[in-house]
Amino acid sequence: MATDELSSKLNRRLQIEEGAEQAEAIDEIEHQNGSAEKPSTANADTELGAKLQRRGELNDGLAEHHQPSMKVFNPYTEFKEFSRKQIKDMEKIFKTYDAGNDNFIDLMELKLMMEKLGAPQTHLGLKNMIKEVDEDLDNKLSFREFLLIFRKAAAGELAEDSGLSVLARLSEIDVSTEGVKGAKTFFEAKVQAINESNRFEEEIRQEQEAKKKQAEEQKQRRAAFKELQSTFK
């Protein structure tokens, strides 16, 4: 019976929203049945009524849909202290140990990584490593969080004996082609990169200047061709 009454009330409320009945009608029914209605039924009625109202507002354009954030992570703009090649090298390391190919390094993959680097960690140690850079609290490392390890290492924000500090020191990459003042290890390169001018912005600036120069040369060639054409007219 309670279900039938609830269904009847919801139907009347929908009719009221559509202008088919006056609001006084439902007030009169609620007054007549109020003493017999159980609190749990009233609570359910209120909750469903609120949902119906929300749906009506959405349909009428009076409320907004809340969509999840679709912000795209761009390592080159967010981690400007690293060069393009350095970020690509870090991405290569990340993918090497992302055995599941799900764009995350979980606890077991991190365990394998540290073992291959010659610095095995305890279960608790591995959990603490992830926790230190796990911004979304999903207990695994995304590529962005992986980059945070090297940012913190370069800035001297990691304890010398911490697992992340060890990971940063042992993740050696050949940076000789980068010309980073002869740095021998990836970690040392990161420390020196902090004190250099923004290499990423410099690369972009050089690319823009090259394109501008190319466009100017094309313009000059077109002008010379038109001038040469005019001599034959």
Side-chain angles (χ1 to χ4, degrees), residues 195-211:
N195 299 321
E196 293 179 351
S197 60
N198 192 313
R199 180 172 301 181
F200 177 76
E201 291 184 354
E202 179 64 19
E203 290 173 351
I204 296 298
R205 185 184 66 79
Q206 290 177 357
E207 290 176 2
Q208 292 175 340
E209 288 181 354
K211 290 180 179 179

Side-chain angles (χ1 to χ4, degrees), residues 138-194:
D138 60 357
N139 298 316
K140 52 188 177 181
L141 299 177
S142 64
F143 180 51
R144 181 184 182 282
E145 292 164 343
F146 187 72
L147 290 176
L148 286 176
I149 296 173
F150 298 97
R151 169 180 281 176
K152 287 177 175 289
E157 297 176 1
L158 300 176
E160 186 68 20
D161 58 347
S162 71
L164 293 185
S165 181
V166 173
L167 185 155
R169 288 199 305 271
L170 295 178
S171 298
E172 295 186 1
I173 295 178
D174 182 10
V175 294
S176 60
T177 56
E178 289 290 304
V180 191
K181 301 179 181 178
K184 295 181 179 180
T185 67
F186 184 62
F187 175 69
E188 292 170 350
K190 303 293 100 46
V191 174
Q192 294 188 18
I194 290 291

Side-chain angles (χ1 to χ4, degrees), residues 27 101 103 105 114 135 180 191 194 201 209 215:
D27 292 337
N101 294 320
N103 297 319
I105 291 180
M114 296 307 293
E135 293 186 329
V180 191
V191 174
I194 290 291
E201 291 184 354
E209 288 181 354

Side-chain angles (χ1 to χ4, degrees), residues 27-153:
D27 292 337
E28 180 179 352
I29 293 175
E30 288 180 349
H31 177 73
Q32 294 173 354
N33 298 331
S35 59
E37 186 175 0
K38 296 181 180 179
S40 59
T41 303
N43 292 336
D45 188 13
T46 302
E47 182 179 351
L48 291 174
K51 290 182 179 179
L52 287 172
Q53 182 179 354
R54 168 70 175 170
R55 187 180 67 182
E57 290 175 348
L58 291 173
N59 292 337
D60 295 338
L62 300 178
E64 297 181 356
H65 290 278
H66 297 289
Q67 298 291 345
S69 175
M70 299 299 289
K71 182 180 179 181
V72 178
F73 165 57
N74 187 332
Y76 302 108
T77 57
E78 187 167 346
F79 291 83
K80 294 182 179 180
E81 64 266 39
F82 303 140
S83 71
R84 288 172 173 264
K85 184 179 184 303
Q86 288 166 345
I87 290 178
K88 288 184 181 295
D89 288 340
M90 285 184 272
E91 185 178 15
K92 184 178 180 180
I93 291 179
F94 181 85
K95 289 183 177 180
T96 297
Y97 293 101
D98 177 20
N101 294 320
D102 59 354
N103 297 319
F104 292 97
I105 291 180
D106 60 24
L107 188 68
M108 293 307 297
E109 290 168 339
L110 181 61
K111 178 178 183 294
L112 179 62
M113 179 180 186
M114 296 307 293
E115 289 174 352
K116 287 190 174 183
L117 289 175
Q121 303 288 312
T122 64
H123 183 76
L124 180 59
L126 292 167
K127 292 181 68 175
N128 287 336
M129 288 174 65
I130 293 176
K131 184 178 180 181
E132 192 162 353
V133 290
D134 186 16
E135 293 186 329
D136 55 6
L137 305 177
D138 60 357
N139 298 316
K140 52 188 177 181
L141 299 177
S142 64
F143 180 51
R144 181 184 182 282
E145 292 164 343
F146 187 72
L147 290 176
L148 286 176
I149 296 173
F150 298 97
R151 169 180 281 176
K152 287 177 175 289

